[in-house]
Amino acid sequence: MRILFIGDIFGRPGRTIVREKLHEVVEHHTIDLVIANAENAAAGFGLTAPIAEELFELKIDVLTTGNHVWDKKEIIEFFNSANGNANSLARRVLRPANYPVGTPGIGLFEGKTQSGVPYAVINLQGRVFMATNDDPFRKADELLKTVKAKVIFVDFHAEATSEKMALGWYLDGRVTALVGTHTHVPTADERILHQGTAFLTDVGMTGPYDGIIGVEKEHALSRFLTSMPSRFEPAKNEPRFCSVIVECDPMTGRASSIRRLMLE
Ligand SMILES: [Fe+2]
Ligand SMILES: [Fe+2]
């Protein structure tokens, strides 16, 4: 079984390159499950229901998010629209599971692939150099107690490489794959950990690389040069599709390979 995970889809350039490349990638690599981080899909900041629907129409199965999840207020209504309905499209959009109890949305999706393999997707957020949240390590323990699927994919949305690697080892043998998102910079450390979990510190951004982690250079630079606030505009050029393909045994959930796939 092969799982494709697409890193932070950033604005229109990111959505456009997903539209252009995804079908071919799925066909060529015989992908069974497509997951994508969409926290920046709406002009770089957050996600809306129409954009989530647009991404689902491209045959993405589950969307994860991160610290930008609340940037577009309407996401709250979208989360609430699921209202316990497991078949609602909104249920396929996750926010990090370790947000405080009572926050709209949830961080775990359980489904079946077209060929009937049960799978789970878990979204967590780091706490190092990020806003304070509940403990992602203990939250993962709690969620894994309830999950019945063997194939379990974790998007750990975090800043610090150390925290990502720590959660990777902590969950080794208990999940199929743990990949990082959020920094928008792909890392080259993909590997299978000792107990069979596929790991990569950061998948990287699917969006415009002619900027500073997705934003127009001038705007981001001016913050560094002046320490004054400046309005961020998404960059437009040099789009790249940044993703990772994990192959695993559908019966055990154990990963056999992980490889990065970056397309221009
Ligand atoms: Fe992001
Ligand atoms: Fe983020």
Side-chain angles (χ1 to χ4, degrees):
M1 165 174 183
R2 291 205 189 111
I3 305 166
L4 174 76
F5 182 92
I6 306 167
D8 302 47
I9 299 172
F10 197 100
R12 189 178 297 278
R15 294 182 345 249
T16 302
I17 198 165
V18 171
R19 181 179 296 278
E20 288 167 1
K21 306 285 185 193
L22 182 57
H23 182 71
E24 197 188 316
V25 170
V26 167
E27 293 286 304
H28 186 257
H29 296 276
T30 53
I31 301 294
D32 302 288
L33 173 62
V34 182
I35 308 163
N37 184 297
E39 71 152 2
N40 308 108
F45 298 92
L47 177 65
T48 62
I51 289 176
E53 280 158 21
E54 176 192 321
L55 293 170
F56 287 131
E57 274 168 24
L58 301 178
K59 300 273 188 276
I60 295 174
D61 298 291
V62 182
L63 294 172
T64 55
T65 59
N67 55 304
H68 283 291
V69 64
W70 312 119
D71 288 358
K72 298 281 183 286
K73 297 282 167 283
E74 51 266 52
I75 198 72
I76 295 173
E77 199 185 318
F78 188 52
F79 281 148
N80 290 338
S81 75
N83 198 23
N85 175 5
N87 298 318
S88 151
L89 213 53
R91 271 296 290 108
R92 291 175 175 268
V93 180
L94 303 181
R95 51 97 172 137
N98 56 324
Y99 274 40
V101 173
T103 308
I106 71 173
L108 165 69
F109 178 77
E110 292 178 275
K112 276 187 183 168
T113 64
Q114 278 204 332
S115 58
V117 178
Y119 69 89
V121 180
I122 292 175
N123 192 187
L124 292 161
Q125 187 170 308
R127 295 186 297 180
V128 180
F129 311 128
M130 297 190 88
T132 312
N133 265 330
D134 292 346
D135 179 347
F137 294 79
R138 271 51 175 244
K139 178 54 81 174
D141 288 338
E142 186 189 314
L143 292 175
L144 290 174
K145 274 182 203 149
T146 71
V147 171
K148 289 187 188 71
K150 296 286 185 198
V151 176
I152 304 171
F153 199 100
V154 181
D155 170 3
F156 188 32
H157 196 80
E159 184 75 42
T161 49
S162 57
E163 193 180 18
K164 290 172 174 174
M165 204 171 280
L167 189 62
W169 283 117
Y170 187 69
L171 297 181
D172 184 20
R174 296 197 278 158
V175 303
T176 303
L178 181 143
V179 300
T181 56
H182 175 70
T183 69
H184 294 193
V185 178
T187 60
D189 61 333
E190 72 278 14
R191 58 175 160 164
I192 307 292
L193 302 178
H194 297 171
Q195 305 301 321
T197 292
F199 176 80
L200 173 65
T201 297
D202 206 297
V203 180
M205 174 183 70
T206 292
Y209 276 70
D210 179 33
I212 297 174
I213 61 167
V215 173
E216 282 286 5
K217 293 189 281 290
E218 295 69 28
H219 300 263
L221 248 178
S222 108
R223 277 206 197 178
F224 286 104
L225 292 172
T226 68
S227 294
M228 288 165 70
S230 78
R231 214 164 63 90
F232 279 174
E233 292 286 338
K236 291 177 189 69
N237 302 317
E238 297 175 27
R240 289 184 192 173
F241 179 99
C242 247
S243 65
V244 72
I245 296 171
V246 172
E247 187 159 7
C248 71
D249 180 338
M251 303 302 283
T252 63
R254 206 180 160 94
S256 51
S257 76
I258 173 166
R259 77 175 166 116
R260 285 176 287 128
L261 179 68
M262 185 195 275
L263 302 170
E264 292 181 30

